[in-house]
Amino acid sequence: MTTAAAPFGSRAATVAGPAGGAAAIAASARQVTKAYGSGETRVTALDQVDVDIARGRFTAIMGPSGSGKSTLMHCLAGLDSVTSGQIRIGGTEITGLKDKQLTKLRRDKIGFIFQSFNLLPTLNALENITLPMDIAGRRPDQAWLDQVVATVGLAARLKHRPTQLSGGQQQRVAVARALAAKPEIIFGDEPTGNLDSRSGAEVLTFLRRSVDELGQTIVMVTHDPVAAGYADRVLFLADGRIVDEMANPTSDAVLERMLRFSAAETPVPAPAGPLTAGGDSRRNA
Amino acid sequence: MILKTSLRSFFAHKGRMALSLTAVVLSVAFVSGTLVFTDTATATFDRLFASTASDVAVSPADDGADHNEQSGGAMARTLAASVVRQVAAQPGVKSASGEVSVSNATIVDPATNKSVGPTGGAPTLAGNWYETPNSALRITSGAAPKGAGQVLLDADTADKAKLGIGDQLRIITAVGDYRATISGIATFTTTNPGAALVFFDTPTAQRELLGRPGAFTSVVAYGDGSRTDDQLKAGLVATFGRTYQVKTAAEQAADNQSDVGGFLDFMKYAMLGFAGISLLVGGFLIINTFSMLVAQRTREIGLMRAIGGSRSQVNRSVLTEALVLGVLGSTVGLGAGLGLAVGLIKLMGAVGMHLDASQLTVKASVPITAYAVGVVITVLAAWLPARRAGKVSPMAALRDHGTPAEAAANRIRAGVGLLLTAAGAAALVAGSRSDSAGTGGALLGLGVLVTLVGFVVIGPLLAGAVVRVLGAALPALFGPSGRLAQRNALRNPRRTGATAAALMIGLALVTGASVVTSSMVSSATSQIDKSVGADFIVMSNNGGLTPNMVKAIQGTPGLSHVSRSKDIGVVITSPDGHREDTSINAVSPTYGEDLRVPAVTGSFEGALKEGISVDKDYADSHHLKVGDPLSVHFQGGSTRTLRIAAVTAEDNQLYQGEMYIGLDTAVRALPADRLPQDVMVLAGASSGADQAYAALQKSLAQYPQLQVKNQADYKALIKKQVDQLLYMVYGLLGLAIVVAVLGVVNTLALSVVERTREIGLLRAIGLSRRQLRRMIRLESVVIAVFGAVLGTGLGLAWGITAQRVLKTQGLNELTVPTGTIVAVFVGAAVVGLLAALGPALRASRMNVLAAIATD
Ligand SMILES: Nc1ncnc2c1ncn2[C@@H]1O[C@H](COP(=O)(O)OP(=O)(O)OP(=O)(O)O)[C@@H](O)[C@H]1O
Ligand SMILES: [Mg+2]
């Protein structure tokens, strides 16, 4: 365990060392604006957003549908370009990078967990987990890999194809893949959105542990107050702006904040419906 | 409603449909192009023959085996000038002219010492110029030839050889060698398909072409309108009895047509065969396209079924799409076919067959065939996946858009495929063991067909095993792209199998053909090595060798001996009463030195002195042995009883099935004017073969139509001829391969679309564009090489069986062309790379986010 933990320790140390204040920031957005379309159909998905993602912390992003959560995450992860402003990942300015450099950045520094369809159906679980390293031409750190696999509880399923795994198991493989490459930061867009509450809890617990025990940095978009409750910090987005944030959230506090928030947004009573119902309907889908 | 959905879906998938459409277009174009081309060629010849035929023609009686008389070296048969007068005197005959026409002349431009006549199939005709009411040629410049030393040349040949009035021509005929000045140029009133023609005035033609003043080769007559051609013929037959043969215009045309018709038919069937192959391959492409479209739409179809669409409605919607595709493809294909026909006409022009592209003959049967073929094949090919689509239960379709588990279907498929392949293989083995080439050939044909179908059926199952092996090295060689490519090629074996099967067909035929032709070359070479003792071989491109040529050879210094050889038309009656109309070889006594024909019993040399040698096959089937008598009727001469002096072996194509007599025997049996020219002269060098070769070439330089070869050059010539055949086959099979490549493109393009989300995911987690492109390229190469493995395997089996079957027919040596097989593999890999270009580019250009978001 000590050997496996070592890389984390050393990395944290080097980053913390010379860069000073920046050391605590894994990713940041400065005055980021993202607009789709032009003229009449122009939609401003992000409106001058400033955000810092703390290293070694679990950050959740919440907000109503269409508020720009996915857009923010995609921009932070270098999957999408911004209209103006700057994005930095671990001290590297990524706005203006070419596709080749962005690809390399995603490959080496970023892990992804999507809501669904995270795995290649032609590869087995283990191959999916090591895929980012395969692509990079790196040999996986075997001890670390074993630890990740053991933590995710997939040791017995490594040779299985995704179709032979349950939805929760598939998401856990995706989490393992994100962790195995030891990225600077992991992004999840509703990683538990397709899971029932028990599987969702498994995955979230695992994400939490990887932050606590492995020092991983995670950013997760979610609609679910319970999921947000696992995070260290929740950012609330509305209309492309960060409107609020909460440290050390509990699910009740988040739910309460959301209800308040929706009430302020729309005068219609009981507007929380779409948010929670949205989450529920996703679960049932 | 269904129609609307179908049409909308057709246009929504127009990119994918375009490739299937191309397959239909190519196949239909090939079929209709072939038909239009052969119809046009036939019509051109019909017009020509109609324009040249007189109302009735009288020629010397045909006494049997000499249909091809002049090219076989036989002398032209003649009739006397008095016959012209007799014909002219017939009631109802308005005019009669004596005609001199020989096809064994060679026209040489003395300035270049090159033959100016056609080198391909078309004849060089020399004759007398006379005016008739229905002449195929008209003098367009200069004047008709008058007296010795003047000649009229046809305009096409003059153009081609850049000759004009006042230029010299040398005409080499059976009689001699003659020089004349061009007095005029004559142009065909219809299209000249490629013959070269020269005309003299009648006395010159009789003297120089026939060597018989006053003689004609035929009499052409025109009626005054009071009688039909048949009545004219009846009158002439009553006059001449069976001394001469009389033909009406219709009969002349029919005769001529059957001469060219054989060649045209051969071309037609060969090209239609290849069209069939490309149609088959195109069928695969269409099946594949529709399978993929249907698989992609499984959910849509499930929804349609869930909301109450019936199975037949689903069927109908897919079939309607196919119908649209078929009709569209056939229409475009028909147009392209006309273009192809024009192209073929131009191509034939380059090899000497001139047809007029502006007189394209398009019969009603062409569009009918085009639509029948295009629409029927397309709808049939779409029906299979449609049926499968209709069978999917609505919930299964809605739940998942992957293909449903097909374990049971696969077991049936494996069983059927194995059974067919085994049956086909058994037929091939039986064929290769068969004693008779006839049954062997039939078994070979059956085996080829059944193994092909077997491989097509079993292909998807083989894909699993073979691709796994082929792809095993990929991850090691190409890292993650390699691994992903290998898995992708394996994920839908039915599709991989079907895509590869299309390629397999073309490659199997290429491999099979190249095994057979390489074996042909090596067999011929070894047979020449074994049996040909001659140092030099002299043959003519046009007709036989004239006595002057033979004299020139005999007068060449440095030759130890010269052996002559003639083909003699005979009717042989064996003691058991069997009559055979055939030709035998009359050769010089030294012939045995030049071609070592081993005698099973008796002595071959003895047969050349006296008697006859027969092949073992003939001797066995008529229970003959040395000493038995054969009655040999020499066409145009006497009937002799010849004793069998030798029974010869069958092991070599150079003498297999041939009978030999001495030259003297033939000279005694035939009147001098019925003795044909030599077809071949063989010679040995006394010392210094190179010097003798040079001397021989020098003394024959004046005859550009002669081919002088030493053994090495002769082998090279045979190889060249076989190779030409092979290249033609390759060219035609190229079409099937092009269609198959389109299939690979199609499969990849559709796979890329299907895997959009996967590609998005891969890109998101860091697969570079280059790696992505490489992944698709490798998948493509794996599919193509898999096709090559199946194709070469099948082709080798076919080729080897064919060689075994034809073993007794002179194909005694098997040569597997490793170079070609390596080329097939390399070519397949290249084809795979090329096919992947478009799809790979498309995949790498995908927007990552949009790709992830698709569902
Ligand atoms: N490709 C696009 N083209 C145009 N507009 C877009 C595009 N993608 C997103 N948008 C718009 O940008 C805004 C933010 O979208 P985004 O997907 O970030 O929302 P979200 O917060 O993730 O919503 P949800 O909770 O429904 O996933 C929305 O108004 C959306 O309509
Ligand atoms: Mg979203």
Side-chain angles (χ1 to χ4, degrees), chain B residues 367-591:
Chain B
I368 293 173
T369 315
Y371 281 102
V373 160
V375 174
V376 168
I377 295 276
T378 312
V379 170
L380 260 183
W383 178 73
L384 293 168
R387 207 179 51 128
R388 216 181 303 146
K391 275 190 185 161
V392 177
S393 87
M395 269 335 281
L398 274 175
R399 213 177 298 128
D400 187 9
H401 48 118
T403 38
E406 289 165 337
N410 274 351
R411 266 199 303 278
I412 297 173
R413 177 178 273 265
V416 172
L418 278 176
L419 216 65
L420 281 172
T421 310
L428 288 180
V429 169
S432 70
R433 296 235 176 104
S434 160
D435 293 333
S436 116
T439 39
L443 283 168
L444 171 67
L446 186 74
V448 164
L449 207 69
V450 178
T451 45
L452 180 66
V453 177
F455 260 52
V456 166
V457 173
I458 211 169
L461 302 176
L462 286 178
V466 178
V467 170
R468 205 156 292 156
V469 173
L470 278 180
L474 288 182
L477 287 175
F478 299 100
S481 308
R483 188 207 307 274
L484 292 168
Q486 179 211 16
R487 299 294 167 82
N488 282 339
L490 276 171
R491 71 162 36 168
N492 194 336
R494 172 178 281 173
R495 185 186 300 179
T496 302
T499 309
L503 200 56
M504 168 188 85
I505 297 172
L507 296 180
L509 289 168
V510 163
T511 308
S514 70
V515 169
V516 171
T517 49
S518 321
S519 300
M520 269 160 80
V521 170
S522 66
S523 300
T525 307
S526 81
Q527 287 168 4
I528 291 169
D529 284 340
K530 212 170 95 197
S531 303
V532 175
D535 294 306
F536 312 115
I537 297 153
V538 184
M539 286 176 297
S540 172
N541 286 332
N542 185 10
L545 283 86
T546 63
N548 283 346
M549 297 171 186
V550 176
K551 267 191 213 106
I553 298 169
Q554 285 164 334
T556 304
L559 297 183
S560 61
H561 66 271
V562 172
S563 307
R564 302 167 57 187
S565 165
K566 290 181 193 291
D567 272 359
I568 312 270
V570 292
V571 177
I572 297 181
T573 312
S574 63
D576 62 6
H578 175 84
R579 268 172 62 91
E580 191 162 3
D581 191 342
T582 180
S583 76
I584 59 175
N585 303 279
V587 299
S588 306
T590 50
Y591 193 80

Side-chain angles (χ1 to χ4, degrees), chain B residues 793-808:
Chain B
L794 212 50
L796 278 176
W798 295 350
I800 292 170
T801 308
Q803 186 270 332
R804 293 272 180 275
V805 168
L806 295 173
K807 201 170 185 163
T808 53

Side-chain angles (χ1 to χ4, degrees), chain B residues 74-383:
Chain B
M75 301 297 286
R77 313 267 319 277
T78 55
L79 36 72
S82 59
V83 180
V84 182
R85 288 190 294 276
Q86 276 175 283
V87 174
Q90 281 289 315
V93 170
K94 188 169 142 210
S95 68
S97 323
E99 181 179 81
V100 176
S101 176
V102 298
S103 60
N104 57 2
T106 302
I107 311 172
V108 178
D109 179 358
T112 59
N113 195 30
K114 287 234 170 67
S115 179
V116 298
T119 45
T124 297
L125 300 170
N128 61 333
W129 181 256
Y130 61 97
E131 294 293 336
T132 69
N134 186 16
S135 178
L137 291 113
R138 215 158 20 87
I139 296 178
T140 42
S141 69
K146 266 197 207 71
Q150 286 203 353
V151 65
L152 184 71
L153 182 66
D154 78 281
D156 293 326
T157 309
D159 278 353
K160 210 167 57 190
K162 300 195 178 58
L163 290 166
I165 292 169
D167 286 335
Q168 287 270 317
L169 275 187
R170 191 174 143 220
I171 295 95
I172 305 165
T173 67
V175 179
D177 201 327
Y178 183 68
R179 272 168 194 270
T181 308
I182 299 172
S183 68
I185 303 287
T187 307
F188 267 84
T189 50
T190 63
T191 309
N192 171 15
L197 295 99
V198 285
F199 297 98
F200 302 97
D201 71 358
T202 303
T204 313
Q206 289 168 330
R207 195 175 62 244
E208 300 299 336
L209 301 178
L210 301 174
R212 265 168 263 165
F216 292 101
T217 51
S218 65
V219 179
V220 298
Y222 293 90
D224 55 13
S226 65
R227 275 149 227 252
T228 64
D229 292 357
D230 287 328
Q231 288 167 331
L232 286 175
K233 176 180 171 172
L236 287 164
V237 169
T239 311
F240 296 121
R242 298 192 53 204
T243 335
Y244 299 113
Q245 64 178 349
V246 183
K247 282 183 180 155
T248 61
E251 285 167 341
Q252 294 166 48
D255 269 11
N256 286 328
Q257 271 156 3
S258 76
D259 283 355
V260 269
F263 169 69
L264 287 178
D265 276 354
F266 170 76
M267 274 197 61
K268 181 167 159 178
Y269 291 122
M271 284 174 54
L272 284 179
F274 287 107
I277 291 166
S278 59
L279 214 58
L280 184 68
V281 173
F284 272 95
L285 210 169
I286 297 163
I287 292 183
N288 240 6
T289 306
F290 276 91
S291 307
M292 287 185 270
L293 290 178
V294 166
Q296 277 186 331
R297 295 212 321 255
T298 312
R299 262 220 270 208
E300 196 182 305
I301 289 170
L303 191 64
M304 261 173 83
R305 297 264 283 120
I307 62 172
S310 72
R311 194 173 280 186
S312 67
Q313 271 174 317
V314 170
N315 261 339
R316 231 179 298 150
S317 92
V318 174
L319 289 181
T320 313
E321 266 179 71
L323 199 66
V324 175
L325 183 74
V327 170
L328 208 63
S330 305
T331 309
V332 179
L334 191 58
L338 295 183
L340 184 71
V342 172
L344 277 172
I345 286 169
K346 295 254 153 37
L347 191 73
M348 293 311 283
V351 300
M353 184 191 210
H354 298 285
L355 303 172
D356 190 349
S358 66
Q359 293 182 322
L360 222 51
T361 309
V362 186
K363 291 191 193 153
S365 62
V366 174
I368 293 173
T369 315
Y371 281 102
V373 160
V375 174
V376 168
I377 295 276
T378 312
V379 170
L380 260 183
W383 178 73

Side-chain angles (χ1 to χ4, degrees), chain A residues 211-283:
Chain A
V211 172
D212 292 341
E213 295 168 20
L214 312 171
Q216 186 65 58
T217 309
I218 297 178
V219 178
M220 168 183 79
V221 169
T222 182
H223 278 101
D224 180 3
V226 177
Y230 284 81
D232 294 314
R233 178 188 181 212
V234 182
L235 299 173
F236 291 95
L237 228 65
D239 287 338
R241 261 179 275 225
I242 301 213
V243 291
D244 200 358
E245 67 167 276
M246 183 189 283
N248 301 318
T250 60
S251 53
D252 290 340
V254 172
L255 182 60
E256 191 230 350
R257 180 75 59 99
M258 274 164 60
L259 288 169
R260 191 149 45 82
F261 185 62
S262 316
E265 280 283 296
T266 42
V268 188
L275 271 183
T276 42
D280 284 341
S281 69
R282 267 159 221 255
R283 252 175 235 165

